Amino acid sequence: MKDTDIKKLLYTHLLCIFSIILSIFIPSFFLENFSILETHLTWLCICSVSVTAVNLVLYLVVKPNVSSKRSSLSYKVTRFLKCCIYFLTSCFFFHVIFVLYGAPLIELALETFSLAVILSTFTTIPCLCLLGPNFKAWLRIFSRNGVTSIWENSLQITTISSFVGIWLGAFPIPLDWGRPWQVDNRIFKS
């Protein structure tokens, strides 16, 4: 049982990585002048949508958690709506955190919100796919020794790694503020 779970988990992560790689190359066939550096907001949206779609499909196919006892349509719709509300709440929460940590409030609001969406995609979507909108299960997973399966352990590791990665990626940004490529060139021409 554990070997099959490990294989399913490996295939799930490999397909998510593959979807990120595809989100780099596929848009260039459909969009003119597509470049990750020049059209970064477009790429972030495409990457977020592709990772979300792959996560949803994989978790529906693999079904690592036990299915709910309730299977009525109204229960599924309310659960889906709760998941959407959790996702949007996490996007706004991360956006507020980024602004509190120094991101521009108005000038680069779209870029900051896109970063919040991509972080929510890598942290909240897997939690919602695996645990659903069950806040007690989320607390159990992210508290000490609350992991009961390999899927939950993977969820905990990828979520914490996403937070650490985004912090490490943003940490060196202030180190280049005095460089000509970061500051308006009119300052250096005086």
Side-chain angles (χ1 to χ4, degrees):
M1 177 84 171
K2 194 169 187 175
D3 289 337
T4 58
D5 280 344
I6 291 174
K7 286 181 183 178
K8 287 179 182 179
L9 187 62
L10 174 69
Y11 294 143
T12 302
H13 286 294
L14 287 176
L15 285 172
C16 284
I17 291 169
F18 185 65
S19 73
I20 294 169
I21 293 170
L22 281 180
S23 72
I24 295 170
F25 297 112
I26 297 294
S28 62
F29 295 120
F30 300 107
L31 301 173
E32 279 188 42
N33 300 327
F34 178 78
S35 169
I36 292 176
L37 298 177
E38 293 174 11
T39 57
H40 60 280
L41 291 177
T42 305
W43 179 74
L44 283 175
C45 292
I46 291 170
C47 183
S48 179
V49 167
S50 67
V51 168
T52 301
V54 167
N55 271 322
L56 290 173
V57 168
L58 286 175
Y59 282 108
L60 285 174
V61 170
V62 173
K63 295 181 184 175
N65 56 349
V66 180
S67 62
S68 175
K69 294 177 184 176
R70 296 183 182 176
S71 61
S72 67
L73 181 63
S74 63
Y75 175 75
K76 289 179 181 179
V77 168
T78 57
R79 184 178 166 118
F80 176 75
L81 291 175
K82 282 182 184 179
C83 288
C84 290
I85 290 170
Y86 273 42
F87 179 73
L88 289 174
T89 303
S90 71
C91 290
F92 288 120
F93 176 74
F94 291 143
H95 182 79
V96 168
I97 294 296
F98 295 152
V99 168
L100 290 177
Y101 271 102
L105 180 62
I106 296 173
E107 296 147 355
L108 299 173
L110 187 59
E111 285 86 352
T112 305
F113 191 73
S114 296
L115 180 63
V117 169
I118 200 79
L119 182 62
S120 293
T121 300
F122 287 113
T123 57
T124 309
I125 292 291
C127 290
L128 289 171
C129 288
L130 188 64
L131 304 172
N134 184 358
F135 192 68
K136 290 181 182 179
W138 287 39
L139 288 177
R140 180 183 54 82
I141 296 291
F142 295 108
S143 64
R144 182 185 287 176
N145 301 325
V147 176
T148 59
S149 71
I150 192 165
W151 288 93
E152 293 174 354
N153 192 15
S154 171
L155 183 68
Q156 189 180 46
I157 290 170
T158 56
T159 302
I160 292 171
S161 298
S162 295
F163 287 126
V164 169
I166 206 158
W167 185 82
L168 288 175
F171 179 71
I173 290 174
L175 300 177
D176 286 339
W177 278 354
R179 304 285 183 218
W181 61 83
Q182 291 285 350
V183 182
D184 190 12
N185 288 331
R186 288 177 281 172
I187 297 172
F188 293 105
K189 292 180 182 177
S190 306

